[in-house]
Structure formats: C-alpha cells, structure tokens
Amino acid sequence: YDGKGVVSLASTEQLDLAFDASSVLEKKVDIDKELAVIVARDQSGDMKCYRAIELVFNSELNLLDYLISPAQVPEEVFAECEQVAINLVQELDFVGILAIELFLSKEGQVLVNEVAPRPHNSGHHTIEAAVCSQYEQLVRLLLELPLGAPKQHAQYAAIINLIGGGQRAGEPIYQGFNAIQKIENVHVHLYGKALTKPGRKMGHITILSEDYESILALINKVKTNISIIPE
C-alpha cells in the first residue's frame, strides 16, 4: 500500500532481500510512462471513462509525487488505455468506480499494473477539473442516477501530493501554506490528519492551467514552496 513493502530485484542474488512474507513477484517492465484511467460503470453496464492521466512517482518513497491530466501521449495511446479499461471492467462485471493504473512500455505496450475499486488519488483532480468528479460519479452510482460527464473543462490539471517530511512523527506544520493559497487556480486539500510522519500522505494540491508549460512551472513552484514537517 502506497509503495510500502515493494522491493526491486536486479538479479537472483538479491532474492534474500524479499519474500519474508506472502508476496507477488512481477516481471520488471521497461517503462516509458505510468498512466491511469478512472472508469465508472453502473448496474445497467453504462460506462464513463476519464481521459488517461500521467503519474510521476517519488523514486525514494515509491508513491505518487504528482500527476498531470491529460497525459502527454499520442491519441492512439489514449484510445488503447480506454479500451483496456473498458475490457477490464466488463470482464470483471464491475459496478462502481475503478481506478486502473497502467504502464506504457518503451515498446508502446499498454499494461495493467494495478486496480483500486474506489475513488483514487489518480482522480482527485476531477474535483476541480471535471464536469462531474469521481466523487459525484460515485454518489450517482449509489443513488442509481445517470452517470455524469467526465469531460475536463480545464485544458490541463495537476495534483501534487503533500507528503510528510522530516525524520520523525509529530503534529504537522504546513510551511508555505499561506503563500500557496495566494496563487490563482491552486486548490489545497488537507486531510485533517493530526499526526505527520515521513512518507505519510497529508493532503494534495490541485492546479489548473490552460497551458502545459505553465502547469509544469506551477508544479515546480508549489513543490518548492510548501513542505510539511513535525512540530
């Protein structure tokens, strides 16, 4: 969960580093990008897919650092991601919200990495960026209402995860919080956790922009100016 317990093995000589508990062994993929698709499917089989987004991971913590929506991939990759997602939910006869994390390999293959049957970190941007958010979609499903439009009304959206820093646990101090709140089209979501510790998700920030270069610059600005440390 959230990258905990993941061990990368470069050779058979490293097997002693793993398998001290029930484990899943996965073939290593030569990854070009990590992507994700959120799908909503109701009892009648009606489906709505959000456009594939691009995930950028923190290599040390092995959890999501930030994402950009939509992903910077060719249109045929968007189409394949959506078709893989549709095939998966149909084969599972799944009803609800399914987050599907994908690998795009250097050879251009779209591969399913993992799935989560719930609103997911990779869809949090839809709160501000989409006509119908993943949370509203879930409410519609539970009330047996027609599914909403997944269309993104901002040209680009990004999420930055707020991750606990420092070397110990403690009451969180949000450094740079007020400065970030002054930036237009930046939306802060704090999860209200009373305790922060290294690597713990404490919230996320959503950024909207009509320009790709601008959203990259805002991601860098926000990441540079906010941090969470224990008191």
Side-chain angles (χ1 to χ4, degrees), residues 45-88:
D46 186 29
M47 283 181 284
K48 299 292 184 183
C49 290
Y50 294 86
R51 292 270 278 177
I53 58 95
E54 186 172 337
L55 307 165
V56 178
F57 281 81
N58 182 309
S59 57
E60 293 181 6
L61 298 173
N62 201 33
L63 52 75
L64 181 64
D65 186 9
Y66 67 91
L67 68 78
I68 297 179
S69 174
Q72 294 294 288
V73 295
E75 195 59 40
E76 57 266 26
V77 174
F78 280 115
E80 186 172 358
C81 288
E82 182 170 323
Q83 193 58 57
V84 166
I86 288 171
N87 292 345
L88 182 59

Side-chain angles (χ1 to χ4, degrees), residues 85-117:
I86 288 171
N87 292 345
L88 182 59
V89 295
Q90 287 178 332
E91 287 294 322
L92 294 173
D93 194 22
F94 179 83
V95 174
I97 301 287
L98 192 68
I100 304 165
E101 294 189 3
L102 304 159
F103 293 143
L104 177 63
S105 75
K106 295 279 180 66
E107 291 75 36
Q109 286 182 297
V110 174
L111 305 168
V112 176
N113 175 26
E114 63 178 78
V115 298

Side-chain angles (χ1 to χ4, degrees), residues 17-31:
L17 300 176
F19 308 115
D20 58 350
S22 297
S23 305
V24 174
L25 181 64
E26 295 179 319
K27 182 180 179 180
K28 188 174 288 188
V29 177
D30 193 7
I31 299 169

